[in-house]
Short mmCIF file of all heavy atoms in Angstrom, two decimals:
data_model
loop_
_atom_site.label_atom_id
_atom_site.label_comp_id
_atom_site.label_asym_id
_atom_site.label_seq_id
_atom_site.Cartn_x
_atom_site.Cartn_y
_atom_site.Cartn_z
N ALA A 104 -38.65 -0.35 -13.96
CA ALA A 104 -37.37 -0.95 -14.36
C ALA A 104 -36.72 -0.06 -15.40
O ALA A 104 -37.35 0.30 -16.38
CB ALA A 104 -37.59 -2.38 -14.95
N VAL A 105 -35.49 0.34 -15.15
CA VAL A 105 -34.72 1.14 -16.07
C VAL A 105 -33.50 0.32 -16.46
O VAL A 105 -32.70 -0.04 -15.57
CB VAL A 105 -34.31 2.51 -15.48
CG1 VAL A 105 -33.53 3.31 -16.50
CG2 VAL A 105 -35.51 3.29 -15.02
N VAL A 106 -33.35 0.01 -17.71
CA VAL A 106 -32.25 -0.84 -18.20
C VAL A 106 -31.46 -0.07 -19.22
O VAL A 106 -31.97 0.19 -20.33
CB VAL A 106 -32.78 -2.16 -18.79
CG1 VAL A 106 -31.63 -3.11 -19.10
CG2 VAL A 106 -33.79 -2.80 -17.89
N ARG A 107 -30.24 0.34 -18.86
CA ARG A 107 -29.42 1.14 -19.78
C ARG A 107 -28.05 0.51 -19.89
O ARG A 107 -27.06 1.00 -19.33
CB ARG A 107 -29.32 2.56 -19.25
CG ARG A 107 -30.66 3.31 -19.32
CD ARG A 107 -30.52 4.79 -19.10
NE ARG A 107 -31.77 5.48 -19.29
CZ ARG A 107 -32.31 5.89 -20.44
NH1 ARG A 107 -31.64 5.65 -21.57
NH2 ARG A 107 -33.45 6.52 -20.48
N PRO A 108 -27.95 -0.58 -20.64
CA PRO A 108 -26.58 -1.16 -20.85
C PRO A 108 -25.76 -0.33 -21.83
O PRO A 108 -26.30 0.26 -22.79
CB PRO A 108 -26.91 -2.52 -21.44
CG PRO A 108 -28.24 -2.40 -22.07
CD PRO A 108 -28.98 -1.33 -21.31
N VAL A 109 -24.50 -0.22 -21.57
CA VAL A 109 -23.55 0.46 -22.46
C VAL A 109 -22.31 -0.44 -22.59
O VAL A 109 -21.68 -0.70 -21.56
CB VAL A 109 -23.15 1.89 -21.94
CG1 VAL A 109 -22.38 2.61 -23.02
CG2 VAL A 109 -24.39 2.67 -21.52
N PHE A 110 -22.01 -0.89 -23.78
CA PHE A 110 -20.95 -1.89 -23.94
C PHE A 110 -19.59 -1.27 -23.81
O PHE A 110 -19.38 -0.06 -23.98
CB PHE A 110 -21.12 -2.57 -25.31
CG PHE A 110 -22.36 -3.38 -25.42
CD1 PHE A 110 -23.52 -2.83 -26.01
CD2 PHE A 110 -22.42 -4.69 -24.95
CE1 PHE A 110 -24.69 -3.59 -26.10
CE2 PHE A 110 -23.57 -5.43 -25.04
CZ PHE A 110 -24.72 -4.90 -25.60
N ASN A 111 -18.61 -2.16 -23.52
CA ASN A 111 -17.20 -1.77 -23.40
C ASN A 111 -16.98 -0.62 -22.42
O ASN A 111 -16.47 0.44 -22.78
CB ASN A 111 -16.61 -1.42 -24.79
CG ASN A 111 -15.09 -1.38 -24.76
OD1 ASN A 111 -14.46 -1.92 -23.88
ND2 ASN A 111 -14.53 -0.70 -25.74
N TYR A 112 -17.38 -0.86 -21.19
CA TYR A 112 -17.15 0.11 -20.12
C TYR A 112 -17.74 1.50 -20.41
O TYR A 112 -17.12 2.53 -20.22
CB TYR A 112 -15.66 0.28 -19.82
CG TYR A 112 -14.93 -0.98 -19.47
CD1 TYR A 112 -14.10 -1.62 -20.40
CD2 TYR A 112 -15.03 -1.55 -18.20
CE1 TYR A 112 -13.40 -2.75 -20.08
CE2 TYR A 112 -14.33 -2.68 -17.86
CZ TYR A 112 -13.52 -3.30 -18.79
OH TYR A 112 -12.83 -4.43 -18.46
N GLY A 113 -18.96 1.51 -20.94
CA GLY A 113 -19.64 2.78 -21.15
C GLY A 113 -19.29 3.49 -22.43
O GLY A 113 -19.68 4.65 -22.64
N LEU A 114 -18.60 2.82 -23.34
CA LEU A 114 -18.12 3.49 -24.57
C LEU A 114 -19.11 3.35 -25.75
O LEU A 114 -19.25 4.28 -26.55
CB LEU A 114 -16.78 2.92 -25.00
CG LEU A 114 -16.07 3.57 -26.19
CD1 LEU A 114 -15.77 5.04 -25.89
CD2 LEU A 114 -14.81 2.80 -26.57
N ILE A 115 -19.82 2.22 -25.82
CA ILE A 115 -20.65 1.93 -26.99
C ILE A 115 -22.10 1.81 -26.58
O ILE A 115 -22.50 0.93 -25.81
CB ILE A 115 -20.18 0.61 -27.65
CG1 ILE A 115 -18.71 0.70 -28.02
CG2 ILE A 115 -21.04 0.30 -28.87
CD1 ILE A 115 -18.12 -0.65 -28.47
N ASN A 116 -22.94 2.68 -27.09
CA ASN A 116 -24.37 2.65 -26.81
C ASN A 116 -25.01 1.45 -27.51
O ASN A 116 -24.59 1.02 -28.60
CB ASN A 116 -25.06 3.91 -27.31
CG ASN A 116 -24.68 5.13 -26.45
OD1 ASN A 116 -24.54 5.01 -25.24
ND2 ASN A 116 -24.55 6.27 -27.07
N ALA A 117 -26.04 0.92 -26.88
CA ALA A 117 -26.71 -0.29 -27.40
C ALA A 117 -27.78 0.09 -28.45
O ALA A 117 -28.50 1.08 -28.29
CB ALA A 117 -27.36 -1.04 -26.27
N GLY A 118 -27.85 -0.73 -29.47
CA GLY A 118 -29.02 -0.71 -30.34
C GLY A 118 -30.09 -1.53 -29.68
O GLY A 118 -29.80 -2.46 -28.92
N THR A 119 -31.36 -1.22 -29.90
CA THR A 119 -32.43 -1.91 -29.19
C THR A 119 -33.45 -2.48 -30.16
O THR A 119 -33.66 -1.99 -31.28
CB THR A 119 -33.16 -0.94 -28.21
OG1 THR A 119 -33.77 0.10 -28.96
CG2 THR A 119 -32.20 -0.39 -27.20
N GLU A 120 -34.12 -3.54 -29.70
CA GLU A 120 -35.24 -4.13 -30.42
C GLU A 120 -36.23 -4.67 -29.41
O GLU A 120 -35.88 -5.50 -28.56
CB GLU A 120 -34.73 -5.28 -31.32
CG GLU A 120 -35.84 -6.02 -32.07
CD GLU A 120 -35.32 -7.26 -32.82
OE1 GLU A 120 -34.08 -7.35 -33.02
OE2 GLU A 120 -36.14 -8.11 -33.14
#
Side-chain angles (χ1 to χ4, degrees):
V105 181
V106 188
R107 294 193 175 276
V109 190
F110 294 95
N111 195 19
Y112 302 105
L114 185 62
I115 303 169
N116 290 322
T119 62
E120 177 187 341

